[in-house]
Amino acid sequence: AACGIVRQVGINDGREFSGLLVCFDGDCNLILRHCSETRPIHYTSAASGQSVINLERRQLGLVLVPGKAVTSCTMLSDAAA
C-alpha cells in the first residue's frame, strides 16, 4: 500500500529527495524512481555580508536512500489515483 506513492524524503545532511516509492526493506532503506534531489547551498552575500541559503535541484533517476540517514518521509501524492 505504501509503494506507488510520490514521497519527499529528508536526510540528515539537509538534502531532500522526491520520487515515486518503489520499495523499502526492514532497515527502512528506500528506493525512489524518477527522483530529484534538492540541497541547500550556503554562502555569504558579497553585497550585504549576510548568510544566504539557495536551493539547488537536480534530476537523478533511480535512487537508494539509506534508512539510517532518513529524518523525514512525507507523502506528496498518490500516483495510482
Side-chain angles (χ1 to χ4, degrees):
C3 295
I5 296 173
V6 178
R7 297 276 181 168
Q8 182 173 26
V9 179
I11 63 171
N12 55 13
D13 67 0
R15 292 181 290 166
E16 291 185 341
F17 297 92
S18 299
L20 185 67
L21 181 62
V22 176
C23 65
F24 60 94
D25 64 13
D27 294 324
C28 293
N29 298 309
L30 307 172
I31 295 182
L32 301 174
R33 185 181 346 176
H34 307 301
C35 189
S36 63
E37 172 195 41
T38 304
R39 65 184 183 121
I41 305 295
H42 300 270
Y43 66 94
T44 302
S45 171
S48 67
Q50 293 182 338
S51 180
V52 178
I53 300 174
N54 194 17
L55 295 178
E56 181 179 275
R57 187 176 177 132
R58 64 183 179 155
Q59 288 299 123
L60 300 175
L62 191 65
V63 171
L64 180 132
V65 182
K68 65 183 178 183
V70 173
T71 58
S72 66
C73 187
T74 307
M75 182 175 77
L76 295 180
S77 69
D78 187 347

